[in-house]
């Protein structure tokens, strides 16, 4: 057990989870908590490899899984665990639920994906799943003008969303609608 709290924000690409993670971290800091803001994939060597592969040749499901797990192993050891031991609140934008949803959508077994992650990664106190339909999330991504990457086709995002929603039966996972302005959605976060 750890002294701090670990809160993860999850959702498909373009769901607005990163904005909600930021608003929540701001809200906690305004109340005097020590907050560590972080995200996966990280900016470490494995995270960089993952980002490069997104725009070039996509890795096989197994190689992709290996890269996300090694990225997370380093993240847990170097930042997440030390922060939790100190009593900080760690607010993370994506965590192993993304692995279960995305690598699960590529055909890997969700139970095995959970087991491989939970062998080393601390379980969050709360997972906030920001849910939007892929057609809306893709509109947002296109409006940002960054271009879609290899993870972001409507078919794949639909499969990923279903896998996220399938996790909502876990007690520590809460789902809320990501539709509306960031402030409206944040109002829903605070009700949880
Ligand atoms: P994203 O949050 O879009 O990162 P950024 O915009 O900062 O580059 O995450 C990158 C992609 O990686 C996203 O499409 C989801 C995917 N992903 C997985 O497939 N498995 C994982 O375990 C994680 C953390 C992310």
């Amino acid at each position: 057990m750890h002294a701090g709290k670990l809160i993860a924000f999850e959702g498909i690409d373009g769901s607005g989870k990163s904005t909600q993670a930021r608003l929540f971290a701001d809200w906690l800091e305004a109340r005097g908590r020590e907050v560590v803001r972080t995200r996966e994939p990280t900016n470490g060597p494995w995270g960089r490899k993952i980002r490069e592969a997104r725009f070039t040749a996509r890795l096989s499901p197994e190689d992709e899984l290996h890269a996300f797990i090694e990225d997370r192993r380093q993240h847990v050891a170097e930042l997440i665990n030390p922060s939790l031991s100190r009593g900080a609140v760690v607010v993370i934008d994506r965590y192993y639920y993304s692995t279960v949803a995305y690598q699960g959508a590529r055909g890997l077994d969700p139970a095995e994906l959970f087991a491989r992650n939970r062998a080393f990664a601390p379980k969050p106190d709360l997972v906030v799943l920001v849910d939007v339909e892929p057609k809306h999330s893709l509109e947002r991504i296109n409006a940002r003008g960054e271009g879609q990457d290899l993870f972001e086709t409507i078919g794949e995002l639909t499969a990923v969303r279903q896998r996220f929603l399938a996790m909502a039966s876990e007690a520590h996972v809460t789902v809320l609608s990501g539709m509306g302005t960031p402030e409206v959605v944040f109002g829903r976060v605070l009700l949880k």
Side-chain angles (χ1 to χ4, degrees), residues 13 17 39-41 51 54 64 68 72 93-95 98-99 102-103 151:
D13 304 85
K17 65 180 169 43
R39 64 168 191 172
E40 292 184 358
R51 286 207 177 80
R54 281 165 71 182
E64 200 172 79
F68 281 115
R72 183 165 301 126
D93 179 354
R94 293 199 185 282
Y95 197 38
S98 281
T99 310
Y102 283 83
Q103 280 62 59
F151 288 89

Side-chain angles (χ1 to χ4, degrees), residues 15-87:
S15 60
K17 65 180 169 43
S18 307
T19 302
Q20 295 307 317
R22 180 170 50 75
L23 291 173
F24 184 61
D26 291 346
W27 184 87
L28 286 171
E29 269 177 5
R31 274 148 195 84
R33 295 299 301 256
E34 189 208 348
V35 178
V36 174
R37 302 164 190 244
T38 188
R39 64 168 191 172
E40 292 184 358
T42 70
N43 291 323
W46 287 102
R48 285 202 301 275
K49 187 180 150 97
I50 290 163
R51 286 207 177 80
E52 277 160 24
R54 281 165 71 182
F55 295 99
T56 55
R58 190 159 185 185
L59 300 171
S60 71
E62 285 74 18
D63 287 351
E64 200 172 79
L65 173 64
H66 179 71
F68 281 115
I69 297 240
E70 291 312 312
D71 186 45
R72 183 165 301 126
R73 203 185 295 285
Q74 193 170 8
H75 196 201
V76 165
E78 291 177 7
L79 183 71
I80 297 177
N81 277 344
S83 304
L84 292 174
S85 310
R86 235 189 13 249

